[in-house]
Structure formats: C-alpha cells, structure tokens
Amino acid sequence: MEEYNFFVGQEFPDVKAFRNAIKEAAIAQHFELRTIKSDLIRYFAKCASDGCPWRIRAVKLPNASTFTIRSIDGTHTCGRNANNGHHQASVDWIVSFIEERLRDNINYKPKDILNDIHEQYGITIPYKQAWRAKERGLAAIYGSSEEGYYLLPSYCEEIKKTNPGSVAEVFTAGEDNRFQRLFVCFHASIYGFVNGCLPIVGLGGIQLKSKYLSTLLSATSFDADGGLFPLAFGVVDVENDESWTWFLSELHGVLEGNTEYMPEFIFLSDGQKGITDAVRSKFPSSSPAFCMRYLTESIGKEFKNSRLVHLLWKAAYATTSIAFKEKIAEIEEVSPEAAKWLQHFDPSQWALVHFKGTRFGHLSSNIDEFTKWILDARELPIIQVMERIHSKLKTEFDDRRLKSSSWCSVLAPSAEKLMTEAISRASIYQVLRSDEVEFEVLSADRSDIVNIGNHSCSCRDWQLNGIPCSHAAAALISCRKDVYAFTHKSFTVASYRNTYAEGIHYIPAKLEWSKTDKSSMDDNILVVRPPKLRRPPGRPEKRMCVDDLSREKHTVHCSRCNQTGHYKRTCKAEMINSIEQF
C-alpha cells in the first residue's frame, strides 16, 4: 500500500493523473471517496464515511499543467469491508485495469477479471460490471462491432485490390441495409485448391461471440501432406438451410469460373440436413459424407460408451463387407439401441467399404483445426475476425512454400512415408503374373489380386487411398514399373508446391483505408448496418453434431435383471438377493 500513501507537496503531471491516483488509493485502501469540488484547477474530497475526518486538497500550479497536494487532514477512522463493491470501481476504472491484459489475451473472461481485482484490491465487483468493462475494453482496442460492419465494404474492396482475382462480397437485407452475409475467397486459395489439393471439401460453422449474432461458415480441404487448406469462408446473420445453400452457391460460382470442368468432390460435414441438401443441389455429381469425428462423438455422447466409439471407427475403416458386418454385429452385441440408432445414417456416407469414390485416407474433415485459427478472436468485431484469418493464411502460405522448396522426394512427406512402408513390406511377398496387368500376390496368410491397369487390389487399400498398397507395390516392382507413377497426383511434391504457389498479399490496416464519409454519401455507396439479431444473454447452445430429426431416444436397459431404467452397474436386484441370502 506504500504507493498509495500521499503527502503534502506531492506532484502529478495533470489533473487526470491525480484523479486516477486518488481513485486507485480509495479502492486499494477500501474507503469510499466523496468529491466536494473537482475542476481543471482544484480538487477537494473527503472520506464518504460519516464521522471520518480524512480530507484532501490539491490545486494546479500556475503556468503549468502540474497538480500538487496542498493539504491532507486527519486519518481514517472508518471501518473497511473488503467483501463489498466500491463506488470508485467504475466500468471505466475496470477498463483501465484490464486493457493490457485484454491486448495479451482476447479471451480474458469476466470471472478472471473478478478474481484478479479481488486478489489485487480485495474488493468484489458484480459480474455484469466486469462483463460490460470487457465489452468496452475490446471496443476501445479493436473498434466497436458497429464500426466493423460499417467498414466491411471498404475491407472487401481492399481484398480485391491487393489480391486480384479474389472474391469478397457483402450482402445486406432490408431498406436500412442490415448485414446479412459475407463471402470471402482469396485468389491464392482458389488457385491452390484447383491445382494441388485433394478433391475433398470440409464444411462447418462456428458461432461468433461478438455483440451481434452471426455464424462463420467455412470450406476447407487437404494439401498433399494432409495439412489444413482453408478454401473459402463466410459470415451469415443466421445459420439455416437457406444460408448454406447461398454459401455453396457462391463456392460453386468461384470454382466454376476457375476450372474447365467441375470435378467430383467429396463434401464432409456434420450431417445437417441443410448442408446435405445444399451439396446435392449445387454439386449434383459430388458425394456428401459424414465427418467420422462428428459421428463417433455423437454416438459416444448418446450412449456414454467408449467401446462403441472404438467399434464405429473400426467399421468405418473396414475394407471388406465381411469385416464391416462383423464390426456392426459387435456394436449390436454391446448395445442393440446403438445399432438401431446407427441405422439412421446411410453407410454409403461414412463407411469406406460402401462409399462410392476415393476418400484418400480422410474420413474426417479438418474444420476443427480451422476453428482453432479464430477461436480466440470470436468475441471481436467481424473485421477483426476477417483480419485474423487473412493474417494466418498469409503466414501459412509463406511458411509452407518455403518449407517445400527443400523437399527432394517425389511425394509429400506423409505420403512418402506410406510408400516407403509399402515397398518394405512388398519385399517378402511372392508375385505370380497372370497377364500384362493382372497379378496374384502371395503373403504368409493371404492371397491378393492386383490389377495395375485399373489401379486396384482385392484388399481395396489402393483404390480407397490413392497410394499403392504393399501388394500393388510388389506387383509393380516385379514388372519393373515405377511405383510412384501409380500414385494419385494429389500426393506429389509438385502438387504441394502448386497448392502454395500463389501468395496471400498484404492488406493495409484499416486506418489506411479510404473510409466512407457520411457527410458525402451518395446513392452508390453501401452503408452496412449491423444485423437486428443481438447475442442473447447466457451460455450459447452447443452445435449438434448430426441431424436431430433422425434421432430416437434410446431406452436404458439392464442386462442383469432385464428391466429398463438403469444399467447393470447400478442394478439393485443383486444387492437385494445378496441381502436375502445373508
């Protein structure tokens, strides 16, 4: 407390510094301050407690901004209560207390603010006051939410100006131009996806936590090394079937304008009906599929059994119908209700053996990895979220382009490792040649048929993953073929370099933008106002992993007493029998 002890003659740079110091002292020493007179040249105050004689008087020095203490009368005789709030602990004071912490940690929570203030000053402030202070602090540092929407048209123009070929459009609704949707796709992402990525697109949404309700939609893919590749993203005021149809329509337009023909894509999502219907509508030749991470998490939450999760993964990766049926039978043995629940999800959309097309080894999307990019920015204005994504994209593109320049292998590292392992196992196989393209490969416990003409093996690993399996490697080596030439081109180092060949260019800070001047607005200038929907109070609802409409609530069943309503481990029948026997 020594820093809060004042003395006559003590000087402060200006009246603001003195006011802040006296307020800090009142809070730290737990006494309420009553201001008698306060202006630019003098300050008189006393302790607000009845009967306490403490008073302080400070004045401005002539021809200077300096403030000095002229007198301090009496000592405090009032009691102090650290458990109550403090009138001087205003929202503005809390903002000044947390500002530096907020700069270092955007997710500085109100409850942490409460704890830090109590730990440092010994006072308790209301949660709502801490929450308001955080909102005001974020606005002071990063700008207000309203300003974020107002600047969107300028930001979109900057994207298109600095990154030619990019798509950046903001859409409004109503006569007052309320924000409705935003779509952004950088030219470098378009080029990289079309010329180097796997034909897989992950779709997902994450709720933003700023003042106004909105959801970030994203489309991501995989590069040759299995890394996250953000393709396009958008923000919508409401996530529903219509917004997903719009997002995929925009994505289709971008891809159609940059490819000679539209490839068949695999779209991975959490199974929302709106996403699946939008995929079938905008990409009719492509295949919608369940992201296995969402599906396994859903069965785990529904039935609270980790073994079911393990078996479902095994069933998804099964490469033969027999192996798939065996795993489904095990699931039914563990939980008939889980097996019945699983019937609502078409195996052709999640199981490798029933899927039409090549999954390239990817059964789950990487949307969660993309979410981590902006997780700590979800409470910021929409402009800050966009800038965070742009900054991360630029860094990743530059780093990966530099990293791949030193690679000497034919395939990207992760694919090269799989190929090396396949070639190593192939050395112990016996190969019998039937004709120019067909081979029988014999191992210690099985026999597989390989056709190098149509890139297939009876084990199905080659056609499912796009990389020759060990049986295919043995057949190719036996006829002196280049194993690497039979690998899907998306796994090559050349494709990886094409993915990051185009760079994400620098976008000036918002202070450098030509802001729209309200005094000179004309009919051609779009002024975007925030959406009418604001964030509701309380904890936001969690996103559902799969379509709730297809769910049926399972009935808990006891395998010991054959009754419903409890599990075997909580069954009381055995306890009763034991007591009776005793």
Side-chain angles (χ1 to χ4, degrees), residues 246-494:
W246 163 81
F247 182 74
L248 286 169
S249 177
E250 294 291 321
L251 182 62
H252 183 276
V254 166
L255 297 178
E256 189 176 43
N258 289 273
T259 54
E260 294 182 3
Y261 66 94
M262 189 69 70
E264 294 183 5
F265 299 113
I266 298 170
F267 285 90
L268 298 172
S269 72
D270 59 6
Q272 289 186 63
K273 188 176 184 297
I275 297 179
T276 304
D277 290 346
V279 168
R280 292 194 175 109
S281 172
K282 300 302 176 180
F283 295 87
S285 62
S286 297
S287 305
F290 284 110
C291 169
M292 277 305 299
R293 183 179 292 110
Y294 284 111
L295 195 59
T296 52
E297 285 179 357
S298 297
I299 199 172
K301 291 176 181 178
E302 186 76 10
F303 298 96
K304 305 292 189 286
N305 190 323
S306 59
R307 177 158 172 75
L308 289 174
V309 174
H310 176 74
L311 290 172
L312 185 55
W313 276 112
K314 290 288 187 181
Y317 275 108
T319 56
T320 65
S321 297
I322 294 176
F324 176 78
K325 291 178 180 178
E326 287 176 352
K327 296 306 172 186
I328 295 298
E330 289 187 54
I331 290 175
E332 187 170 11
E333 184 179 346
V334 173
S335 172
E337 293 82 7
K340 185 178 180 181
W341 176 87
L342 195 58
Q343 291 175 2
H344 292 104
F345 309 103
D346 189 347
S348 66
Q349 292 188 25
W350 59 270
L352 273 180
V353 70
H354 292 294
F355 189 79
K356 296 179 182 179
T358 304
R359 294 288 286 267
F360 301 97
H362 295 288
L363 269 67
S364 299
S365 73
N366 47 20
I367 289 295
D368 289 347
E369 188 177 347
F370 174 74
T371 298
K372 293 177 183 177
W373 282 21
I374 53 94
L375 198 62
D376 61 346
R378 289 187 297 168
E379 298 185 35
L380 297 181
I382 188 170
I383 284 290
Q384 298 295 331
V385 177
M386 297 300 105
E387 289 183 333
R388 181 64 57 90
I389 295 174
H390 166 262
S391 176
K392 185 69 174 177
L393 272 176
K394 186 180 186 310
T395 301
E396 289 295 326
F397 270 58
D398 293 344
D399 290 349
R400 295 179 186 184
R401 190 184 311 111
L402 179 62
K403 178 179 65 175
S404 65
S405 64
S406 62
W407 291 350
C408 301
S409 57
V410 176
L411 304 180
S414 59
E416 184 69 31
K417 181 181 179 181
L418 294 175
M419 180 63 81
T420 302
E421 293 173 352
I423 293 174
S424 177
R425 291 196 301 270
S427 62
I428 62 173
Y429 296 159
Q430 180 183 359
V431 180
L432 303 176
R433 187 166 187 169
S434 300
D435 53 34
E436 289 297 318
V437 296
E438 193 165 276
F439 301 79
E440 182 179 6
V441 180
L442 303 176
S443 59
D445 57 349
R446 60 184 293 168
S447 170
D448 288 280
I449 304 301
V450 175
N451 189 309
I452 63 174
N454 58 20
H455 292 204
S456 67
C457 176
S458 57
C459 78
R460 303 197 73 227
D461 279 355
W462 191 2
Q463 50 268 47
L464 290 174
N465 297 320
I467 300 176
C469 59
S470 58
H471 313 112
L476 291 166
I477 292 170
S478 71
C479 62
R480 298 182 180 180
K481 299 283 187 182
D482 182 8
V483 180
Y484 290 93
F486 289 80
T487 304
H488 195 280
K489 67 176 184 178
S490 296
F491 291 106
T492 62
V493 170

Side-chain angles (χ1 to χ4, degrees), residues 26-33 79-90 93-94 114 117-118 121-127 129:
I27 294 171
Q29 297 178 359
H30 306 159
F31 68 89
E32 294 289 354
L33 193 68
R80 299 173 182 180
N81 191 341
N83 296 320
N84 295 330
H86 201 289
H87 289 155
Q88 271 67 51
S90 62
W93 176 82
I94 300 173
L114 298 178
I117 289 178
H118 187 272
Y121 294 98
I123 63 170
T124 301
I125 61 173
Y127 179 92
Q129 199 167 357

Side-chain angles (χ1 to χ4, degrees), residues 93-283:
W93 176 82
I94 300 173
V95 170
S96 65
F97 175 80
I98 66 175
E99 185 171 354
E100 289 304 316
R101 292 174 171 86
L102 271 181
R103 290 184 186 276
D104 296 335
N105 178 18
I106 298 171
N107 291 317
Y108 188 36
K109 298 179 180 179
K111 67 176 183 180
D112 296 326
I113 296 174
L114 298 178
N115 292 336
D116 289 348
I117 289 178
H118 187 272
E119 182 178 340
Q120 184 164 337
Y121 294 98
I123 63 170
T124 301
I125 61 173
Y127 179 92
K128 186 176 180 180
Q129 199 167 357
W131 184 87
R132 288 172 56 201
K134 180 183 177 180
E135 291 281 298
R136 193 176 298 180
L138 289 174
I141 298 170
Y142 301 103
S144 67
S145 296
E146 291 78 8
E147 182 190 33
Y149 290 104
Y150 174 71
L151 291 174
L152 275 180
S154 297
Y155 184 71
C156 290
E157 289 304 314
E158 287 294 326
I159 290 177
K160 290 183 284 188
K161 184 190 304 181
T162 57
N163 292 264
S166 300
V167 178
E169 299 293 340
V170 59
F171 302 85
T172 60
E175 296 180 356
D176 53 353
N177 290 331
R178 294 286 179 178
F179 172 83
Q180 186 180 26
R181 295 163 185 158
L182 169 72
F183 182 85
V184 177
C185 185
F186 287 95
H187 170 70
S189 294
I190 302 170
Y191 182 91
F193 177 72
V194 171
N195 293 282
C197 284
L198 295 171
I200 301 175
V201 179
L203 300 173
I206 175 174
Q207 196 171 64
L208 301 180
K209 295 183 176 181
S210 61
K211 182 177 178 180
Y212 296 94
L213 196 64
S214 56
T215 303
L216 177 73
L217 308 184
S218 58
T220 63
S221 187
F222 296 90
D223 62 28
D225 200 35
L228 166 68
F229 185 87
L231 171 58
F233 50 93
V235 179
V236 295
D237 56 349
V238 178
E239 182 187 6
N240 52 27
D241 295 358
E242 183 183 350
S243 60
W244 273 113
T245 301
W246 163 81
F247 182 74
L248 286 169
S249 177
E250 294 291 321
L251 182 62
H252 183 276
V254 166
L255 297 178
E256 189 176 43
N258 289 273
T259 54
E260 294 182 3
Y261 66 94
M262 189 69 70
E264 294 183 5
F265 299 113
I266 298 170
F267 285 90
L268 298 172
S269 72
D270 59 6
Q272 289 186 63
K273 188 176 184 297
I275 297 179
T276 304
D277 290 346
V279 168
R280 292 194 175 109
S281 172
K282 300 302 176 180
F283 295 87

